[in-house]
Structure formats: structure tokens, C-alpha cells
Amino acid sequence: MKEEQSFGQWVAGRKISARPTSLKTYKSYEQAHLLPFFGDMPLRAISRKKIRKFKKHLSKKLAPKTVKDILSYLKTILKAAEKKGYLKSPEMPKVRVQAREKEILDRRSQQALSERVRQSQNPQDMAVYISLTLGLRIGEVLGLRIKDVDLEGGVLRVRKNRQRVYDPQTSRYPVVSLSPKTKSSIRDIPLAASVKAVLAHFLENRDHRPKKPLITGKNGRPCDTRTVQRHFAGLKKELGLSPKLTFHSLRHSFATRALEAGAEMNTLSAFLGHASVSFTLSRYGHCVTAQKREQMEKIAACF
């Protein structure tokens, strides 16, 4: 066993290789939860009993999924320290995460939201409209540039993902445009005539420089996710929508409506930019089952 070292010292001197978006998440786990609890504790003093106490502490204020993710990252940190001979990494307590049904807009709320934002010249309203009607993730919406809206070709080209990341060299959290993490996320989404018309109207008074961001703030500069999420929160309050809805609920709503309309699973998977059809099925298979059950009821009525 090597000489004594605290958890905080190990974390401060540890170099990890990860995507900038993952680094941001890891850094938030460290600053908000791991260092306040374990920071001054010697590595070899971190026992299963202390980790269980940490889990109990987290569970009082965080969702089970978040607790599980933090413990998973803690395990990674301790395993790395174990390889260097600082401790024997204790077994992690299990966290039960129950699958929750995704919050989506009902049809009436979806129609009300669509009508509210579709003719708006506010870029943040347009961010909501694009996610609602095309199923983009918030980072993908914010990564869109003017040239990505191909009205002549009738497609929207998803090429960038704009997110706030952690920069280990400056210890700051800049907002940057990144390439999507999977090839399947780079995609061309066909535009229905109605959606194409809305985008054409929105672009009439926009700066048409090709590389200019499509979604901007009041100062004309690119938005970050927090700005758009706050804007969506205002729309929810204005329209009386469920407070449980998140911006990501727009993507879930798009996927659910697509399946209800009879879209094939492989087509929806391509629209959403999922890495595989099986992943899409694991997220939205319940919609297909409900649709089949409804069709079987119609068939049974014939006999």
C-alpha cells in the first residue's frame, strides 16, 4: 500500500480522458457531492459503510438515477486509485431505479403549444417548435446554423451539438459547438410542407450568413441550454402546461405521435438519430404495444 493520500488530493491530481460534455458532468459530481463528503478523508479510510452513508445522504435530495450515476463515477475514481496501490476499492451499494413513463404533451396541449410558437419570430420559440415537430435534442437545436435549413432540398441537416462543457485547462465552463458523439446523430431530416413553411417564414428576417446560428438570444449571439429551458418554463406557465414537462419532453412527444401515426420503428430511429433500432424500441416500444392492442380491439369487434 502506498503512502497516505486523501480523496481530494487524488481527485485533484487525476487526469481523465472523456468528452467535454462528460467532463462537465463529472466535475459537477465532484464539486457538489463527492468532495464535500469525502474530500479530506484518506483514500484507505473509504469503506463500504461510509459509501452506504454517502448513498443515504444523496438519496435524501436526489433521484435514484442520479444517485446511481454518482456512485458509478465514485467507483471509477476508487478503482483507478486501487490500481495505483492506494486502497482496496470497496463494493458499491446497489441503487434500484424504477423505469418511469416519459412525460409527454397530450394532443390538446401539443396543439396549443404549436399554435403559440409556429408563427413567432422569437428564436427561442422556434427552438421549441423545431424540437416539437422534428424531435431534435436541445443541443442539436442550438447547434443549427442558417445553412443547415435547406428549404430548396426540403431537409434539416443536423451536424452540430451546442453544449456547455468543462475546460480543464481554464477550469471554466464555455459553451461550444461539438460534433455529435455518434455517426447516427449526424442526419438529414425531411421537412413536411407545413414545417418547411414555418421555417421559411422565420428565416425571412434573419441574418442569412450561412454559418450564423439559427437560434440566438436578444443580442444576436448563440443561446445556451439554460436560456432556452427558462424560456420553455415561461411557455409552460403561460399555456398552463404540466410543470413536470421538460424541454426533452418535446422530443418524447414527437416520437410518441410518430408511432401513433403509424411510423415504422426504423424510420423513427433514423429521425431521432439513435445508434440502433433496438435502442429506440427500448425507449418507445410501449407505444407500439398500445397501438397494436388498439388495432386488435378493432379486429375483435368484427367477430
Side-chain angles (χ1 to χ4, degrees), residues 23 50 52 55 57 68 84 94 98 106 135 144 151 176 195 217 238 242 244 253 255 276 279 287-288:
L23 280 176
K50 285 186 171 63
R52 290 184 69 85
K55 174 196 168 186
H57 168 74
K68 184 176 182 179
K84 295 293 185 180
K94 296 187 182 300
Q98 292 184 334
D106 59 45
L144 292 171
L151 295 176
V176 298
V195 177
E238 176 187 334
S242 169
K244 294 182 180 180
S253 300
S276 67
F279 181 85
C287 299
V288 178

Side-chain angles (χ1 to χ4, degrees), residues 70-81 89-92:
I70 293 172
L71 290 178
S72 177
Y73 180 52
L74 174 61
K75 181 179 179 179
T76 300
I77 292 174
L78 296 181
K79 281 292 183 182
S89 182
E91 182 183 350
M92 289 289 152

Side-chain angles (χ1 to χ4, degrees), residues 121-147:
Q121 288 296 303
N122 184 328
Q124 291 159 52
D125 282 340
M126 192 50 49
V128 171
Y129 179 79
I130 289 172
S131 185
L132 181 65
T133 57
L134 298 174
L136 270 66
R137 305 171 178 94
I138 188 168
E140 293 172 339
V141 175
L142 298 179
L144 292 171
R145 300 154 296 181
I146 297 294
K147 69 176 184 178

Side-chain angles (χ1 to χ4, degrees), residues 73-252:
Y73 180 52
L74 174 61
K75 181 179 179 179
T76 300
I77 292 174
L78 296 181
K79 281 292 183 182
E82 182 180 36
K83 287 183 179 180
K84 295 293 185 180
Y86 287 108
L87 81 161
K88 180 171 175 55
S89 182
E91 182 183 350
M92 289 289 152
K94 296 187 182 300
V95 180
R96 182 175 296 179
V97 180
Q98 292 184 334
R100 295 186 301 175
E101 190 169 336
K102 295 176 176 62
E103 190 78 21
I104 64 168
L105 290 152
D106 59 45
R107 289 181 177 273
R108 181 179 296 180
S109 297
Q110 183 172 324
Q111 185 64 29
L113 181 59
S114 179
E115 289 178 358
R116 166 64 178 78
V117 299
R118 70 162 63 109
Q119 293 303 316
S120 173
Q121 288 296 303
N122 184 328
Q124 291 159 52
D125 282 340
M126 192 50 49
V128 171
Y129 179 79
I130 289 172
S131 185
L132 181 65
T133 57
L134 298 174
L136 270 66
R137 305 171 178 94
I138 188 168
E140 293 172 339
V141 175
L142 298 179
L144 292 171
R145 300 154 296 181
I146 297 294
K147 69 176 184 178
D148 294 324
V149 184
D150 184 354
L151 295 176
E152 186 175 344
V155 296
L156 186 78
R157 307 190 190 284
V158 181
R159 296 293 185 271
K160 296 290 182 181
N161 193 327
R162 188 170 180 82
Q163 293 196 16
R164 189 175 294 280
V165 301
Y166 175 71
D167 184 347
Q169 294 184 341
T170 63
S171 297
R172 294 182 179 275
Y173 295 83
V175 178
V176 298
S177 287
L178 304 169
S179 296
K181 62 181 179 180
T182 63
K183 290 183 179 179
S184 53
S185 293
I186 300 173
R187 60 201 188 276
D188 292 350
I189 303 176
L191 298 173
S194 58
V195 177
K196 181 179 173 181
V198 169
L199 288 171
H201 173 69
F202 176 70
L203 287 172
E204 285 177 0
N205 299 314
R206 296 282 84 120
D207 184 335
H208 283 79
R209 284 178 289 175
K211 294 184 179 181
K212 190 76 173 176
L214 182 70
I215 307 301
T216 58
K218 294 179 180 179
N219 56 6
R221 301 183 66 181
C223 282
D224 68 355
T225 56
R226 294 174 188 169
T227 301
V228 176
Q229 287 166 341
R230 283 196 296 268
H231 183 77
F232 181 59
L235 287 173
K236 286 193 298 182
K237 188 174 182 179
E238 176 187 334
L239 297 173
L241 305 180
S242 169
K244 294 182 180 180
L245 291 167
T246 66
F247 193 93
H248 204 67
S249 298
L250 303 175
R251 177 173 163 88
H252 293 322

